[in-house]
Amino acid sequence: MNKLLAFAAITLLTVGIHQLSQTESVDQRLQFENYTTKYGKIYSPAEKAYRSKVYEDAMKQIQIQNADLSSTAKFGENQFTDLTPEEFAALYLTRNQSNMNLNAELYVPQGPVGASADWSNITKVKDQGNCGSCWAFSAVGAVETLLTLKGVLPSNTWLSEQQLVDCDRGTNNGCNGGFENLGISWAKKNGLTTSDKYPYVGKQQKCQISTGQYKPSGYQVVSASNMYTALSYQPITVAVDASSWQYYKTGVFDKCTLKSLNHAVLATGFQEDGVWIIKNSWGTGWGEKGYIRLPAQGNPCGVQNESYVAYLE
Ligand SMILES: *[C@@H]1O[C@H](CO)[C@@H](O)[C@H](O)[C@H]1NC(C)=O
Ligand SMILES: *[C@@H]1O[C@H](CO)[C@@H](O)[C@H](O)[C@H]1NC(C)=O
Ligand SMILES: *[C@@H]1O[C@H](CO)[C@@H](O)[C@H](O)[C@H]1NC(C)=O
Ligand SMILES: *[C@@H]1O[C@H](CO)[C@@H](O)[C@H](O)[C@H]1NC(C)=O
């Protein structure tokens, strides 16, 4: 949040509050009022003027992007519309650069590729809030779906991301980013507890429960060519460049950029027509009830660059 306010302050200084509000129509002001009410945003008068301008610019961008009729991807308002792309990246795109350990165990296919797969019925869309903990959500998503499929974790029982944020402090960095494979390793060593016992608060705390009963045997690296096979049996973690995901609403997203793998998510399946199904951790108000679909061709957003399965021996 400090970063956010710092951005706002700099922009206010350079542009000036007065200039910002002069260019606003009554309609735009009302639309922004509605927006702040809907998303429960509370701003000081100075920040409000700035946010309103950011929101207006974003709505223009959204209109331009939606005018591309060659794409099924559509964009719209969500909780991120009054953040600049730079603020959005600083707050949410916090996954560290590649941590691919070349000596790590490789995933070996155990059976044939299915025609399609969709494990979303054993997952739940969660919300990381204002905390760069995507890596924890991706890791926990992989572990809880694995253990549910193996009958170890009762269905509709969820594991604790907060425990990873608070307790996995050796190599990972809480709300400032981390790696999903190292999160799975922590779970292997210490075990995860449930989110009922250790609820998500979205900020760094002292570690409160340092072990848990739910343990995977570890993680394996899924090569790009094995993604279909792995997904035929269980969800897998994927790392992506999510710089262009800010305004995504629906459709097959074909506006990827690929500079850095700055976000971690959970692939939960693939469709027969060549689409990856991806669960995000930005709440159900983002995208398709919390999900995004990516074309399976051409490694969009780097989705095939760094991927892991949790496994149980
Ligand atoms: C704001 O919300 C009110 C009530 O839902 C609605 O009537 C009005 O049209 C909205 N205004 C704008 C500019 O979106
Ligand atoms: C969930 O989906 C899988 C794969 O499509 C299916 O085999 C399973 O029966 C579904 N389970 C429930 C509870 O709907
Ligand atoms: C991840 O990045 C943060 C911020 O740059 C840094 O403090 C941390 O040490 C990095 N962690 C790893 C495991 O590289
Ligand atoms: C993703 O993988 C491709 C193919 O191996 C590689 O060329 C590219 O540099 C990788 N990008 C990132 C950001 O890791």
Side-chain angles (χ1 to χ4, degrees):
M1 225 38 210
N2 288 343
K3 279 183 197 156
L4 191 57
L5 290 178
F7 275 117
I10 291 162
T11 311
L12 284 176
L13 281 177
T14 48
V15 183
I17 302 164
H18 208 66
Q19 211 183 325
L20 287 176
S21 33
Q22 270 178 352
T23 58
E24 265 190 354
S25 73
V26 173
D27 223 38
Q28 282 166 337
R29 214 169 283 192
L30 263 180
Q31 199 185 5
F32 186 65
E33 282 299 332
N34 283 4
Y35 176 76
T36 53
T37 308
K38 178 167 177 196
Y39 290 93
K41 306 217 176 208
I42 295 161
Y43 294 129
S44 70
E47 193 179 6
K48 193 166 181 177
Y50 168 65
R51 290 286 152 220
S52 160
K53 176 75 170 68
V54 172
Y55 174 85
E56 239 179 76
D57 290 346
M59 292 309 275
K60 278 184 204 140
Q61 271 309 311
I62 287 169
Q63 228 173 13
I64 292 167
Q65 290 185 22
N66 282 341
D68 176 4
L69 300 178
S70 70
S71 170
T72 64
K74 292 293 167 246
F75 303 84
E77 182 184 282
N78 59 30
Q79 70 267 41
F80 306 132
T81 317
D82 67 348
L83 297 178
T84 65
E86 294 74 23
E87 290 167 341
F88 172 72
L91 280 170
Y92 295 99
L93 306 181
T94 57
R95 182 184 184 273
N96 285 44
Q97 278 316 291
S98 175
N99 185 42
M100 196 68 110
N101 171 1
L102 297 176
N103 299 317
E105 224 179 300
L106 279 181
Y107 168 79
V108 180
Q110 306 287 319
V113 183
S116 67
D118 185 357
W119 304 107
S120 43
N121 63 0
I122 53 162
T123 68
K124 184 170 83 163
V125 171
K126 305 182 190 181
D127 191 348
Q128 68 187 76
N130 286 335
C131 167
S133 52
C134 63
W135 60 276
F137 282 83
S138 178
V140 165
V143 173
E144 73 192 0
T145 51
L146 168 79
L147 297 183
T148 301
L149 285 167
K150 296 285 182 188
V152 173
L153 183 69
S155 53
N156 294 312
T157 306
W158 311 109
L159 299 179
S160 175
E161 288 83 10
Q162 191 65 43
Q163 189 178 28
L164 282 184
V165 169
D166 294 346
C167 308
D168 179 9
R169 299 312 308 272
T171 42
N172 283 326
N173 211 3
C175 287
N176 295 318
F179 296 110
E180 53 285 1
N181 57 327
L182 299 183
I184 297 172
S185 289
W186 189 93
K188 168 192 178 176
K189 191 163 168 234
N190 304 287
L192 287 169
T193 190
T194 63
S195 55
D196 277 354
K197 293 203 179 114
Y198 203 149
Y200 191 67
V201 295
K203 55 179 193 246
Q204 188 82 52
Q205 310 171 125
K206 255 207 192 122
C207 179
Q208 295 173 13
I209 307 173
S210 58
T211 59
Q213 79 180 95
Y214 297 107
K215 284 187 183 184
S217 305
Y219 72 83
Q220 292 164 334
V221 175
V222 180
S223 67
S225 55
N226 280 333
M227 269 179 67
Y228 278 113
T229 323
L231 273 175
S232 300
Y233 299 93
Q234 68 185 97
I236 63 180
T237 71
V238 290
V240 291
D241 183 336
S243 308
S244 52
W245 291 18
Q246 186 174 2
Y247 313 132
Y248 170 75
K249 201 90 196 168
T250 180
V252 178
F253 183 79
D254 54 2
K255 309 283 181 210
C256 280
T257 54
L258 179 49
K259 287 207 185 94
S260 68
L261 302 173
N262 52 27
H263 189 47
V265 285
L266 190 74
T268 58
F270 59 90
Q271 293 176 183
E272 264 167 60
D273 55 356
V275 164
W276 303 119
I277 305 168
I278 310 280
K279 184 176 75 120
N280 203 349
S281 51
W282 295 344
T284 52
W286 180 86
E288 296 183 323
K289 298 193 166 73
Y291 284 79
I292 184 170
R293 284 178 293 145
L294 296 177
Q297 286 290 319
N299 190 26
C301 301
V303 68
Q304 289 181 286
N305 275 49
E306 192 175 338
S307 181
Y308 304 100
V309 278
Y311 71 98
L312 194 62
E313 268 159 359

